[in-house]
Amino acid sequence: MTNDRTKSSEDGYELWLRYLPVADAERLEAYRSVVRCIVSRATSPTLSVALKELRSGLQGLLDWSIPITDDLNQPGTLVVGTPENHPEIDALQLDEDLAAVNDEGYVIRSTSYNGHPCIAIAAHTDTGVLYGVFAFLRHLQTHQPLQDIRIVSSPRTKIRMLNHWDNLDGTIERGYAGFSLWDWHKLPDYLSPRYTDYARANASIGINGASLTNVNANSLILTKPYLQKAAALADVFRPYGIRVFLTARFSAPIEIGGLTTADPLDAEVIAWWRGKAQEIYDIIPDFGGFVVKANSEGQPGPHDYNRSHSDGANLLAEAIAPFGGVVIWRAFVYDSDIPDDRAKQAYDDLVPQDGTFHKNVLLQVKNGPIDFQTREPYHPLFGAMPQTPLMLELQITQEYLGCATHLVYLAPLFKETLDADTYCYGRGSLVAYVVDGSMDDHDISGMAGVANTGSDRNWCGHPCAAANWYAFGRLAWDHTLSAETIAEEWLHMTFSNDSRFVQPATTMMITSRQAVVNYMTPLGLHHIMARGHHYGPGPWVEGGRPDWTSLYYHQADEEGIGFDRTPEGSNAVSHYFPPYREELANLETCPENLLLWFHHVLWDHRMKSGRTLWDELCCKYNEGVEQVRQMQHTWNALVDFVDPARFIHVQVLLSIQEQEARWWRDACLLYFQTFSQLPIPDEYEQPAESLEYYMNLSHYFVPGIPERRF
Ligand code: GCV
């Protein structure tokens, strides 16, 4: 057994930054022989935290206290810094590599000084050095060789941020890991050590922005006392290269400014936002900017004054431009009057405004056109607004994917969007290239992840949910990384370096995404969860606003099931570029995993498997349950590699997941059977309860909704 952990229980607080001693003696010796001392000068707060992290990381991993020296004339030095703060770096033959990295990038390289072998961690900026230090520690944590190390890395997107949907009362919208990390009551005076650990974790994966507050915003955050609280957090985050963003409620000039209008073209409103921007930058000099949800789900916005989204965004953008800030305007907009298929509305509203947004505005677009479902086609805005920088918004918190009780590794979902081909400039026009700005040469670019962090000791609730935070950061840095590589890294650092653990656990994680699709919404079904809290199945949800019901989306009837988005239906397919558009529109060529997203399909339609649609649906729901059972089986076999507390925690949650997978399967199949009138084939488990039973289940106090509705 090469388990690198004593079997004492862990609580997950350290995340992937555990820095346990390298257990393999040979490897430890190899590391110790090339890393004997650090040559660095902590000439800034960022270099100071970089050096501190490096020392504590090496102390843990190499199990010795590593000296800091000025003397490069000895073997085994680790030279850390920028050419500016450390002029000797110029003598380390790094010019070519340094020329290849951008301001936040870094170089880690075996080289020599006066004939003495050394390793350099170098960058143009202090933040680049910090990222290099974390990358070096990751290299050791994952037991990679140090011989001839040469890593040259730069982030592909500029803004890599978490969006916290945290309310000022401490609750988190769609948060499943406790309450908000931000203790607004005690800020700005009391600074929880957790704020620093949060910043460390983010910096370790390259996240450089945090929007602290819910997009369903409260104007209070823009008042002086709250700005001072936010400033205290910004002070903690700054050395870690993280800038603070806040959500701006469009009606703030009325609510906290005493004006009678928030009309973006009104002179007083314009002056109010300018004054507010000045006030914010006086308090938080490196403030990142505003994140705005407007005219969506009841939020105020420019449409209230018959103005466009760009009128609204530009109002804030002009106010903030002199200070170098940006406005991140969300494209998650759809009308309560439901003028058209919800999947089309953002595109129809925003595409005509391409080219009208100011230079410091980014449109933040969810991965798919509805709302973070288990699988969606990519959002057709990607590729359709070449003159506007489009940020990608991903949901790390598992609103629709089992909250914090289901093990669902999201990197495959994130990658599916990033790697999707928009065909906007022909084959190979990937969403990733729109997002990183390279497709249309934008100066600004970004990715945002709706955070899954909270006050739970292990940060994210499920011991494996931190993998999704980790994966988000790694992909925002480099979208070319594979989901497998990221899972492996995370497993190595979070649990064990033993390949007998890492390999099966990686397979389990990769499988988990398709499992949740299968047992919740296979074949392109979507938005069939329970109302309000979104916990559990609710394909029968009807009444009230139609586009918040399930019936609107699945359209099941005696003939078949699915939303017709072909030219005969809502024609949402027209938003995609050819040849994908035609592929989607044709029942025979539409990918089966999106079939019911785009087509209303007859129950006896023959699928590629040879089964009818109904039988295929039964098969997929059952496959999902079986996949969870396989995950349980895999995890149970890994007992020797994980400490007892985390092992049991995951084990119990997997058992909840298995029960809930059956709940989803049985409830959905029984409900859809009322339309298909077909039997669930004998080869599958039959539902445990009646449809009535499932429809009458009530769940109280489900976490993650603003007011506890039931
Ligand atoms: C913050 C979905 C969620 C809402 C969320 C919204 C959004 O509708 O259910 O809780 O609101 O998305 O992204 O703005």
Side-chain angles (χ1 to χ4, degrees), residues 24 100 148 180 234 424 433 470 511 516 706:
D24 170 356
D148 301 323
S180 176
C424 62
Y433 304 144
Y470 182 83
T511 312
V516 77

Side-chain angles (χ1 to χ4, degrees), residues 25 44 136 145 200 218 224 227 246 255 352 359 406 425 472 549 560 609 613 618 624 636 664:
S44 73
F136 183 72
R200 284 178 57 229
N218 187 329
K224 194 163 186 185
L227 289 173
L246 295 173
E255 287 151 8
K359 276 213 313 265
H406 294 208
Y425 294 118
F472 168 77
T549 69
S609 63
L613 171 65
C618 295
N636 287 339
W664 269 91

